[in-house]
Amino acid sequence: ESMTSAQPMRAVDCAGQSTPRFATPRAMLEAMEAATCGLAADACVRNFVGVIDSMELDHLVCETELFPADALDFYTHLNLGGAVPTPPDVLARMDVLRGKYYAFTRGGSQGDYRAGMAAKVDDVVDCLRSHPGSKRALLCVPYSSGRQSHEVQHSDTDEAKCLREIHFFI
């Protein structure tokens, strides 16, 4: 059957187990929070994966205590400016939002993923349009310093991004 059919692919992990499915991004966020709740200080959850069934706009934004609507507006414009349109009301508030959210206490440039981002988004979209079943629809988070990955050291806090890559598929 063609990979361009309307049927979503069945996601399976390497062990052959079905990947968890979530109705919305909020449902996936709640599952991630439940998976990390009560972990010891030296523990973590790695490689959390899932399939989100509804990516409708009214389900897409998930505000949290750490990322309220203003923070999401700021980081979306900062990191995707040029790749997606920024609403005029957000542009008008960018200086205030930058002062509030691009601060050392929030990790400073750890949240700055913008280097080359518009080209990376374009590449993911082109990949999925050309090859819907591809595993190459990968958005890698660039180093903001312009250095190559082998030049960055773990002790460089500005390059200790919370997010390194996002895999997309249809």
Side-chain angles (χ1 to χ4, degrees):
E1 180 175 42
S2 168
M3 294 303 294
T4 58
S5 69
Q7 298 266 337
M9 293 176 53
R10 181 172 180 267
V12 177
D13 69 16
C14 293
Q17 301 298 315
S18 292
T19 300
R21 297 188 80 90
F22 302 95
T24 64
R26 169 65 62 191
M28 186 171 184
L29 175 62
E30 289 169 357
M32 287 190 294
E33 289 173 339
T36 59
C37 184
L39 286 179
D42 62 345
C44 67
V45 174
R46 297 187 187 272
N47 303 317
F48 188 95
V49 298
V51 174
I52 300 171
D53 293 322
S54 175
M55 293 297 284
E56 298 295 322
L57 187 57
D58 56 340
H59 294 149
L60 198 54
V61 177
C62 295
E63 292 182 56
T64 65
E65 185 177 330
L66 185 59
F67 289 99
D70 276 352
L72 295 172
D73 286 344
F74 169 72
Y75 285 111
T76 298
H77 173 73
L78 176 72
N79 292 311
L80 296 176
V84 297
T86 301
D89 66 306
V90 174
L91 284 174
R93 298 181 296 132
M94 279 307 291
D95 288 340
V96 172
L97 296 176
R98 180 179 303 279
K100 186 173 182 179
Y101 295 110
Y102 199 84
F104 177 77
T105 55
R106 287 187 61 91
S109 60
Q110 286 183 23
D112 188 343
Y113 304 153
R114 63 189 152 165
M117 191 57 72
K120 290 177 180 290
V121 169
D122 289 346
D123 185 62
V124 166
V125 171
D126 181 61
C127 178
L128 292 174
R129 283 185 175 149
S130 303
H131 311 283
S134 178
K135 291 188 242 176
R136 294 184 179 185
L138 177 66
L139 192 148
C140 294
V141 175
Y143 291 102
S144 54
S145 63
R147 293 178 283 171
Q148 301 295 319
S149 61
H150 70 279
E151 298 173 302
V152 176
Q153 309 237 333
H154 71 88
S155 58
D156 185 347
T157 301
D158 286 344
E159 295 297 356
K161 306 296 188 202
C162 298
L163 177 67
R164 273 284 153 228
E165 61 189 27
I166 303 173
H167 298 253
F168 295 88
F169 63 92
I170 296 175

